[in-house]
Amino acid sequence: MARTKRFLNGAAKDAFLKQVLAAEPGLDEATRERLALALQSSIALVSLRCHSGSEPASAAGASVETTDTAAAAHEPDVQNTAENTPPATATEGAPFDPYSPNVIVVFRTLGRDAALAELHAIEDIDCLRLLAREQRLGIASDLADAADIRRAIVAAAERRIANRRAAAS
Amino acid sequence: MARFLAIANRKGGVGKSTIAVMLAHASAAWGKKRVLLVDLDTQCNASLMLIGGERWDKARRAGRTISDYFFDRFDKVAEDESHYVAANVGDVAHPRASPGRVSLLPGSLMLEDVQGELYLKQAKRGSNPDKVAQDVRNRMMRLIKHFGHDFDYVILDCPPGLSFAALAAIDLADQVVVPFRPDYVSQFALDRVALLIERVETADQLAAVPFVDRRYICLPNYVTGKGRERLLIDEIALDHPLLQSRVPLLDSVARAFDWEESKKTMAEKYGDALPHLRALHDEVFGAATWLAKAG
């Protein structure tokens, strides 16, 4: 039987990594979560280097390449409302998951650079805007450059974190 | 001695009473435990779910509610506290041979007024307001604790806010389940209630307490499965221990709390929510759970 290739992004990538880690004996839930997050970030950083270096960006971007078998069970749970139809990425054909990466979680666990690196895997400006909207990370509407939008998203995440912290005690 | 489990959150509308009643039914039916639910919420929703309006009205007219108990016994050693307890409540049928039953110390609309009266009463004995408040809480705590001899689990359905009764329940509890709706403001409420439960003052002090040592665990409730919820739950999990169980927003859960006289099975009562309740029960009350280990 022919094995077709799929490129995972967003929640599907997250789920795939967790599935792989789940098969490893002796890892508790918290460790699996931490490793999955670290792997996601590392993959994004590799992707960032590919994009900024001489090597042409791969079709996969920051995706994890795998087979249909593993991917089929982990489709992202995006809401396909009329108001919120996620743009499909040209390279992958799969719906964009605006809830992944979770910018706040990446920022808090791995830092600003990692959050920015994760966002570099998203090239489409509409996807970045959708992610910002769905994750409630307010950005200026007049930003037109992807790099500016990514920076604005990360800055908004930082403000959200500070906001919560200020209210906590 | 019973294990004391508080269901608490300063925020209202997160499903505290619903979860308290579900856990009481589940523990009696599946765990065969003798469970007492103490309704500390002046909305009295848990009481209405378990005995209906008429029986609750009879209880309050007869002076058999939580506020009567606190008021009557405040200065005296409790002798026969079972006088205040409604036995074998709820609309789930239990086999005759099984010890598993749910009992209820009914809630009262007057509890907040009674707390005020008890404060004033106590204030006549001392002038330091903080100490007076602490004394009232301690007395309430001792009074609730008294029920520990007759039950396996005492579930404390706390009111929203920070009344003396809520604080006494949180102080007394071996463990606290904190239900929350995965929305933006819930994380603020969780941060605050966590400080209270762990008896620390700042987020940094809280962060220094390892998850395994914390007295509380959070339960995502009314989960719809939307992507935004996933973001918030992941974010909350960075700061607070979470149960693996999720209670979804289901009609069957909402319907389960329409009071009906006739007894039914757990499957009849909870419908398609049953597997979620089963998972929650096993996680909270199972032999290897945090509640069992808390002793």
Side-chain angles (χ1 to χ4, degrees):
Chain A
M1 184 185 288
R3 288 160 64 92
T4 57
K5 283 183 179 178
R6 277 183 66 148
F7 296 105
L8 295 182
N9 205 349
K13 178 177 71 174
D14 185 29
F16 174 74
L17 291 172
K18 284 179 183 168
Q19 186 191 48
V20 171
L21 292 168
E24 288 297 316
L27 292 180
D28 60 28
E29 180 70 22
T31 309
R32 281 204 300 273
E33 292 281 337
R34 203 169 56 248
L35 286 173
L37 207 56
L39 283 168
Q40 279 207 0
S41 178
S42 300
I43 290 164
L45 284 166
V46 169
S47 167
L48 176 60
R49 287 186 200 110
C50 289
H51 282 284
S52 58
S54 56
E55 187 183 333
S58 75
S63 307
V64 175
E65 188 179 324
T66 185
T67 63
D68 256 345
T69 317
H74 301 295
E75 292 301 326
D77 61 341
V78 177
Q79 289 175 270
N80 286 302
T81 60
E83 179 223 15
N84 181 26
T85 303
T89 52
T91 52
E92 296 166 26
F96 171 69
D97 178 5
Y99 306 111
S100 184
N102 185 332
V103 180
I104 300 261
V105 168
V106 175
F107 190 113
R108 286 194 50 194
T109 51
L110 299 165
R112 173 199 295 271
D113 291 345
L116 207 50
E118 281 271 4
L119 291 173
H120 268 94
I122 305 167
E123 295 172 355
D124 188 294
I125 286 177
D126 289 336
C127 289
L128 286 167
R129 287 195 179 284
L130 179 59
L131 180 144
R133 194 181 74 192
E134 291 302 304
Q135 300 201 17
R136 299 290 191 266
L137 299 168
I139 57 171
S141 57
D142 58 351
L143 294 177
D145 180 69
D148 290 341
I149 294 175
R150 290 186 198 106
R151 276 193 294 273
I153 288 172
V154 171
E158 192 167 16
R159 283 197 304 277
R160 268 269 304 274
I161 293 163
N163 188 42
R164 181 175 165 202
R165 192 171 175 78
S169 301
Chain B
M1 190 65 166
R3 311 289 301 151
F4 289 82
L5 175 68
I7 314 297
N9 191 333
R10 286 176 67 173
K11 189 175 182 301
V14 297
K16 292 184 286 293
S17 299
T18 306
I19 296 297
V21 171
M22 285 167 82
L23 286 175
H25 273 146
S27 180
W30 294 327
K32 299 180 172 40
K33 301 295 185 190
R34 298 166 303 153
V35 182
L36 173 67
L37 192 149
V38 179
D39 188 353
L40 295 160
D41 189 346
T42 52
Q43 296 175 88
C44 306
N45 290 337
S47 301
L48 297 172
M49 290 173 198
L50 288 172
I51 57 176
E54 288 183 8
R55 195 171 164 194
W56 173 73
D57 188 45
K58 279 182 191 166
R60 68 172 170 162
R61 286 178 193 282
R64 295 179 179 185
T65 67
I66 182 71
S67 62
D68 298 302
Y69 176 62
F70 281 152
F71 192 81
D72 296 348
R73 305 294 190 180
F74 195 69
D75 291 321
K76 297 176 233 169
V77 176
E79 290 154 7
D80 181 17
E81 74 278 2
S82 64
H83 169 74
Y84 296 90
V85 172
N88 198 15
V89 301
D91 51 4
V92 170
H94 302 289
R96 197 177 292 268
S98 168
R101 293 286 184 279
V102 180
S103 298
L104 170 73
L105 179 51
S108 165
L109 302 174
M110 304 299 292
L111 184 55
E112 282 164 12
D113 296 330
V114 165
Q115 289 177 79
E117 285 185 42
L118 296 178
Y119 179 85
L120 292 174
K121 197 173 184 179
Q122 190 67 18
K124 289 176 184 166
R125 299 168 185 163
S127 56
N128 181 333
D130 287 342
K131 184 171 185 317
V132 170
Q134 185 62 52
D135 287 346
V136 174
R137 288 200 298 270
N138 287 345
R139 278 174 185 265
M140 287 182 164
M141 205 161 70
R142 279 201 295 274
L143 285 169
I144 299 171
K145 196 173 182 179
H146 206 78
F147 288 103
H149 300 293
D150 300 325
F151 297 93
D152 300 309
Y153 288 119
V154 177
I155 296 177
L156 308 166
D157 180 26
C158 295
L162 292 178
S163 62
F164 292 142
L167 292 170
I170 287 172
D171 267 353
L172 172 64
D174 295 297
Q175 292 289 336
V176 183
V177 168
V178 184
F180 69 96
R181 300 182 83 134
D183 57 34
Y184 176 65
V185 291
S186 284
Q187 57 189 343
F188 296 102
L190 289 183
D191 291 343
R192 291 174 188 150
V193 80
L195 298 178
L196 197 69
I197 295 167
E198 295 303 323
R199 303 179 183 110
V200 294
E201 291 181 359
T202 67
D204 288 336
Q205 289 169 344
L206 180 67
V209 182
F211 278 11
V212 292
D213 294 336
R214 295 196 192 181
R215 224 162 34 98
Y216 71 97
I217 193 155
C218 302
L219 169 65
N221 196 18
Y222 301 131
V223 173
T224 62
K226 291 176 182 170
R228 276 183 204 138
E229 291 182 342
R230 195 180 72 213
L231 295 177
L232 280 163
I233 291 171
D234 286 349
E235 193 178 336
I236 285 165
L238 295 177
D239 301 297
H240 305 288
L242 292 188
L243 286 163
Q244 295 294 313
S245 305
R246 307 280 186 267
V247 181
L249 186 63
L250 292 172
D251 284 345
S252 52
V253 174
R255 278 198 308 271
F257 298 110
D258 292 344
W259 165 252
E260 286 178 33
E261 197 84 37
S262 58
K263 301 272 184 183
K264 47 186 84 68
T265 65
M266 288 290 280
E268 286 167 343
K269 182 166 178 64
Y270 288 104
D272 60 356
L274 198 71
H276 303 287
L277 178 52
R278 183 89 221 193
L280 178 63
H281 164 269
D282 291 350
E283 203 175 351
V284 172
F285 294 114
T289 63
W290 52 273
L291 183 61
K293 285 187 278 190

